C-alpha cells in the first residue's frame, strides 16, 4: 500500500536550534516527495520537493530535506529554527491510484519553536 | 510561485441550503484540480479529482450527488455542497496542478471554512 508516515505528532525546539521533522514513505516506483506547511486557518504552502537528482533538496524559508532511498525517508530540516516556523507540516508522496496521479499526505507534525 | 485562490474564505449557512465554493488558479492553467476536506487537527482527506472538461473522480465514500464538482475551464473549479447539514461543517481546501510540463507540484488555495447551523 502507498502511504506516508510522520511518526511525531509534535516537535518542540528552541529558537536558534536545528530542527528535524521526520517522514517515511511507502510507494511503488520512484517516489515524488513533497513538504508543505500550514499556518492556522490557511491552506498549504509548498516548501520543497524531490523528483530526481541531488538527494539534498533546498526549499523556501531556509528549509531543506534529504531523500534517503535505502531508509525510504524524506526528513525536513532547518539549521536554525525561528519562532515564526511554528506551524503544521505535512509530508506527501505522489501516488497513482485508479489511473490518477494524486498526493497522499502524512498525518502532519506540529512544530513548536520556543523563544 | 503559482497562486490559487478560493472564495469565499468563510461561509455560514442554514441546514438544507446549498453552498458553492470557487477555486481559481490565478497565474497558470490547471488541467487538474483537487478538492480536500480537513477536520480539526487532522490531515487532508482527498474528496475528488477533477480534470478540465470531464467528470470528477470521487474518492471512496464521498457522495458525488452531495458534493458537486465542476471544472469548466482551465482556471476555475467549483465545489457545491448541496443540502448542507451540520456534519458537513469543515475546512475545504482546493489544489491545482499545472498542465503537464514535467512539473509535479500541486498548489493549494487558502481554504474555505464552512459552518452549517
Amino acid at each position: 500500500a502507498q502511504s506516508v508516515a510522520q511518526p511525531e505528532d509534535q516537535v518542540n525546539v528552541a529558537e536558534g536550534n536545528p530542527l528535524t521533522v521526520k517522514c517515511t514513505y511507502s510507494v511503488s516506483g520512484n517516489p515524488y516527495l513533497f513538504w508543505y506547511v500550514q499556518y492556522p486557518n490557511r491552506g498549504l504552502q509548498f516548501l520543497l520537493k524531490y523528483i530526481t537528482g541531488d538527494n539534498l533538496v533546498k526549499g523556501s524559508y531556509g528549509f531543506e530535506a534529504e531523500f534517503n532511498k535505502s531508509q525510504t525517508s524524506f526528513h525536513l530540516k532547518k539549521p536554525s529554527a525561528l519562532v515564526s516556523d511554528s506551524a503544521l507540516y505535512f509530508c506527501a508522496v505522489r501516488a497513482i491510484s485508479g489511473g490518477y496521479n494524486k498526493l497522499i499526505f502524512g498525518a502532519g507534525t506540529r512544530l513548536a519553536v520556543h523563544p | 510561485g503559482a497562486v490559487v485562490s478560493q472564495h469565499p474564505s468563510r461561509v455560514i449557512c442554514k441546514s438544507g441550503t446549498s453552498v458553492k465554493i470557487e477555486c481559481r488558479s490565478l497565474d497558470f492553467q490547471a488541467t487538474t484540480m483537487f478538492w480536500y476536506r480537513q477536520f480539526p487537527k487532522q490531515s487532508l482527506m482527498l474528496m475528488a479529482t477533477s480534470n478540465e472538461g470531464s467528470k470528477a473522480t470521487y474518492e471512496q465514500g464521498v457522495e458525488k450527488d452531495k458534493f458537486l464538482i465542476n471544472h469548466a475551464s482551465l482556471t476555475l473549479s467549483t465545489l457545491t455542497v448541496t443540502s448542507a447539514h451540520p456534519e458537513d461543517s469543515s475546512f475545504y481546501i482546493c489544489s491545482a496542478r499545472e498542465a503537464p510540463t514535467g512539473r509535479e507540484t500541486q498548489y493549494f488555495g487558502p481554504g474555505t471554512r464552512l459552518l452549517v447551523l
Side-chain angles (χ1 to χ4, degrees):
Chain A
Q2 300 174 107
S3 64
V4 176
Q6 291 181 244
E8 303 151 316
D9 289 339
Q10 178 152 334
V11 170
N12 297 296
V13 65
E15 187 175 30
N17 282 1
L19 69 87
T20 299
V21 182
K22 295 179 181 177
C23 171
T24 58
Y25 65 89
S26 173
V27 66
S28 53
N30 293 321
Y32 286 20
L33 296 155
F34 303 82
W35 275 101
Y36 289 88
V37 59
Q38 185 180 33
Y39 294 97
N41 298 309
R42 303 293 298 276
L44 275 65
Q45 293 179 34
F46 169 72
L47 278 180
L48 51 80
K49 65 182 177 185
Y50 171 83
I51 304 295
T52 186
D54 290 340
N55 289 343
L56 184 63
V57 178
K58 293 188 183 296
S60 306
Y61 312 121
F63 283 93
E64 58 188 30
E66 185 165 12
F67 170 62
N68 187 316
K69 189 172 182 178
S70 63
Q71 297 185 3
T72 62
S73 68
F74 190 56
H75 301 331
L76 181 70
K77 299 181 180 183
K78 187 172 182 180
S80 178
L82 300 172
V83 173
S84 58
D85 292 329
S86 300
L88 188 56
Y89 290 80
F90 290 100
C91 181
V93 65
R94 188 193 76 160
I96 294 177
S97 175
Y100 286 90
N101 143 4
K102 57 190 177 185
L103 289 180
I104 295 176
F105 285 89
T109 299
R110 188 163 299 280
L111 173 66
V113 182
H114 305 286
Chain B
V3 179
V4 176
S5 70
Q6 268 183 255
H7 178 79
S9 58
R10 183 185 294 265
V11 58
I12 301 173
C13 69
K14 292 182 179 179
S15 186
T17 60
S18 293
V19 174
K20 180 186 281 190
I21 303 170
E22 291 188 349
C23 176
R24 294 180 185 273
S25 57
L26 298 185
D27 51 1
F28 66 100
Q29 293 188 324
T31 50
T32 306
M33 287 187 168
F34 306 84
W35 286 96
Y36 294 84
R37 185 172 178 177
Q38 186 180 31
F39 292 101
K41 299 185 179 180
Q42 293 191 27
S43 189
L44 280 70
M45 181 192 80
L46 179 63
M47 299 173 66
T49 302
S50 73
N51 289 294
E52 185 265 338
S54 61
K55 289 183 179 180
T57 300
Y58 289 81
E59 295 298 301
Q60 193 171 8
V62 178
E63 299 175 60
K64 56 183 168 184
D65 294 331
K66 179 160 188 68
F67 298 100
L68 300 178
I69 291 172
N70 184 288
H71 189 168
S73 79
L74 286 172
T75 59
L76 173 64
S77 176
T78 60
L79 167 68
T80 301
V81 183
T82 61
S83 186
H85 288 96
E87 58 265 29
D88 298 323
S89 299
S90 192
F91 193 51
Y92 293 88
I93 306 175
C94 76
S95 175
R97 189 169 65 210
E98 198 168 2
T101 57
R103 303 173 201 161
E104 294 293 337
T105 305
Q106 276 180 228
Y107 295 96
F108 287 79
T112 296
R113 186 161 300 284
L114 171 63
L115 177 61
V116 184
L117 302 176

